[in-house]
Each structure stands twice: as C-alpha cells, then as structure tokens.
Amino acid sequence: MSGPRASAAEPAEALWLAVLDGDEYAAIEVVRAALADGWQEEDLLLDVVAAVQARIGVEWAADRISVAQEHAATAINERVITALVHHPASTRPTARRGRVTVSCVDGEWHAFPARLVAETLRLRGWQVDYLGAQTPTPHLVAHQHHTNSDAVLLSGSIPTHLPRAHTAITACRSVGVPVVAGGRAFGVDGRYARALGADAWAPDARGAAAVLEAGLARPTGARQAIDDLPHLADQEYSMVAQSRGRLVKETLTELERRFPPMREYDEAQRERTAEDLAHVVDFLATALYVDDVAVFTDFLGWTADVLSARSVPPHSLVTGLDIIGDHLHDFPRALSIVRAGAAHLTGRTDPAVMDTVV
C-alpha cells in the first residue's frame, strides 16, 4: 500500500530538517520509517526526496542557505537514495522490460534528476546503465555500440549545455538509438527537446517511464545540426561562442569605466563579475543556437533575483548588456536578443535597475 499523496508533506519536512542539519543518519531514518509505514519506494523518491532536493535549490537561490550547505544537503540526499533503493524491505523487480541508458549531457554536473530517473526505471523493471554526470558524447555513443540500448534518456539542467545535448541526440540517433530528453534545460514544455531532434521529451521520472512503456521506434537516417536548426547558417552562434573570451574581457574593462563602483572591487569581486559576464555570453550564445530569446531573458531575470537576494544591486547587468550590444552591432540576431534582455530587466520593479535608464 502506498502512502497517501496528501501526507507527503510530513516526511518531506522531516527529511528537509535532517539534511539541513547535516544529519545523514536522521535523513535515512526518515525514509526507512516511511517504508515501514507503507510508502512505496517510487513515491518516496519522487514525492519526498525529489521535493526536498527542489527546496534545496530554492533556498540557495534565495540566499537562505550557503553553497556549502547546499552541497552537503545534496550529498546526503544522494546517500538517502542509495539507502532507500538498497534497503532490505525494498522491492526488487524480477521482470525485465528492456535495457536503457540514463546519462547527463556532456558538461552537466547536476546529476540528481538523472539519478531519480534511473532508480525509478529500475523499480519498474528496466535494466538501467546509469552513466552519471557530464558524459562525453563519444563515450555515450561507444556505450550504445556495446549495449544497443532500447533508448538513451538524456538529462540536462543548464540551458547552456543545449548545443552539446544536440550533438549527443544527433549522434545517438545516428546509430539507431532513440533519445528521450528531460530536465529544465529542455524547457518546461520540452520545446528545446523537440527543436534538437529528440524522439521524445519527459517532464519527470514518471513521464520518462510512461514514454518508454508506450514504446519508441528506432530512428533511421542521419541528420545534421543544420537540418534541425537552419538559422545556424548565419553563423552568429559560432561567432559569438568563439569570441567569448575576448567579449568578456573587453566588456569587463569597459564596465569599470561606465560603472564607477566597480573600481573599488577587490580581486575576488572582479573574478565573480567576470564569471557573471561569461554566463551572460554563454546564455546569449545558447539563445542564438535555439533561436529563442526566452533562454536569455529567463536567465537574466533569475540572475537579477539571485543578486537581489544577496543585496547586490543588479543594475550593472543593464550596463553590461549595453556594452555587449556595442560589440555585436554587426550581428542582428544577437543584438536583438541583447536589447530584449535589457528591456526585460528595465521592465522589472527593482528601482536600482530602473535608475539606469533614467
């Protein structure tokens, strides 16, 4: 008998308090007690453990927990999963539906969602090859030659990894293995999974299981990136991506001239500013790749919220965008995206942001 969904709040709160306190033993005891109360492993994984992991991210973004606390809590949650699925009371499926590969996109370190998918599929009777974080595409494809998986389930949380995801999707399909894409990187509605040629998209682990259970046809015929994204022919993505280092350096220099408070920054603050600018350029390049301004504006809005939560005025973002736009005057798509980003920020209610356009 599965524990009623309405009661998920109680074990989730208990698990949250345990991971926040850094108490691994208490955290494991929470899920073991829930098993004893009649909860099924899948429900615990997806309605309790996953909910706590999502809360960890929210609390970090709001600056209510530190990076160290976030890392420690995630590590404990990982061990909770292991303890849960290997507990003597856990159900070990006997039937095998087929064999699948679960992997993160090359460069993607956020492996927790992929782990949830892998364990959910195992519980449902699939043989799962879980490759973990940032699997290089050549190794992912080599694994398909070795196993001939029924499908690859590709996980991505950060949109800047979408170009690499596209490479992986194209490569896997070229050897006859269908790809199911999932994770926040592919959009809340899966729009980028479809744009990059994935055979299917799943919003979560249960959705991924449903896609596999419905069946996937083996792909035939090879495609190139330009077949899925013909706008790449203008080479704006390539030019912006290749000039990333120079663009960040020149913007940083000019930002110091236009934004006087930056002259008082210490070395650590300057390094963080350079990192922020690099992220801005990376998201700009990704927006060019998928030809969707929302990739850029969503990132800017999230960044502004994170900065504000840390009492860092986000108005320097607008100045930085103005400078980047000056350097991209020969690239109409890029310039349009940068201007849309600046308009998105100036349309927010933060007075510090509004002051920059007066």
Side-chain angles (χ1 to χ4, degrees), residues 166-214:
H166 195 190
T167 299
I169 291 168
T170 303
C172 289
R173 298 188 81 256
S174 71
V175 296
V177 180
V179 178
V180 181
R184 288 174 297 178
F186 294 98
V188 294
D189 57 357
R191 68 182 63 184
Y192 306 127
R194 292 187 289 274
L196 302 184
D199 296 272
W201 167 76
D204 51 31
R206 289 189 179 98
V211 168
L212 291 178
E213 289 162 11

Side-chain angles (χ1 to χ4, degrees), residues 21-301:
D21 194 41
D23 191 336
E24 177 181 341
Y25 294 100
I28 291 172
E29 184 55 37
V30 169
V31 296
R32 286 179 174 171
L35 283 173
D37 286 342
W39 278 79
Q40 296 296 314
E41 293 96 327
E42 180 177 309
D43 293 335
L44 279 173
L45 281 172
L46 305 182
D47 299 330
V48 176
V49 179
V52 168
Q53 189 63 27
R55 185 173 177 181
I56 291 170
V58 170
E59 294 297 299
W60 170 83
D63 200 32
R64 289 190 287 264
I65 64 173
S66 68
V67 172
Q69 286 177 301
E70 183 267 332
H71 284 192
T74 298
I76 291 175
N77 242 2
E78 287 275 7
R79 291 193 285 273
V80 166
I81 291 178
T82 301
L84 173 61
V85 299
H86 292 292
H87 189 266
S90 297
T91 304
R92 182 183 295 274
T94 55
R96 291 293 180 191
R97 295 175 179 265
R99 186 172 187 174
V100 296
T101 299
V102 177
S103 176
C104 290
V105 177
D106 188 7
E108 178 62 70
W109 282 102
H110 297 82
F112 199 92
R115 177 80 189 278
L116 289 173
V117 170
E119 299 302 345
T120 298
L121 295 180
R122 284 192 181 116
L123 289 170
R124 294 199 181 197
W126 293 88
Q127 180 180 352
V128 179
D129 299 318
Y130 173 60
L131 306 188
Q134 62 154 18
T135 304
T137 295
H139 296 286
L140 177 60
V141 173
H143 186 71
Q144 302 318 301
H145 285 298
H146 177 68
T147 63
N148 191 32
S149 299
D150 293 300
V152 167
L153 292 96
L154 193 65
S155 176
S157 296
I158 308 299
T160 51
H161 299 141
L162 286 174
R164 291 182 180 181
H166 195 190
T167 299
I169 291 168
T170 303
C172 289
R173 298 188 81 256
S174 71
V175 296
V177 180
V179 178
V180 181
R184 288 174 297 178
F186 294 98
V188 294
D189 57 357
R191 68 182 63 184
Y192 306 127
R194 292 187 289 274
L196 302 184
D199 296 272
W201 167 76
D204 51 31
R206 289 189 179 98
V211 168
L212 291 178
E213 289 162 11
L216 288 167
R218 293 276 183 177
T220 58
R223 292 178 64 83
Q224 302 296 321
I226 198 73
D227 297 325
D228 297 320
L229 306 173
H231 56 267
L232 293 179
D234 67 13
Q235 298 189 38
E236 287 202 29
Y237 162 74
S238 298
M239 296 298 292
V240 170
Q242 291 169 7
S243 63
R244 176 183 184 268
R246 176 185 58 80
L247 193 55
V248 170
K249 182 178 180 180
E250 292 177 355
T251 302
L252 189 64
T253 300
E254 180 64 14
L255 186 58
E256 185 171 339
R257 188 185 70 81
R258 296 195 197 182
F259 185 61
M262 196 178 148
R263 298 168 191 168
E264 305 301 322
Y265 281 10
D266 59 28
E267 190 60 32
Q269 289 173 309
R270 289 181 61 83
E271 288 180 3
R272 285 195 294 270
T273 302
E275 290 173 357
D276 289 342
L277 288 173
H279 289 316
V280 169
V281 175
D282 288 341
F283 272 86
L284 170 60
T286 304
L288 286 168
Y289 193 87
V290 297
D291 198 29
D292 190 342
V293 68
V295 170
F296 193 58
T297 54
D298 288 350
F299 162 72
L300 290 175

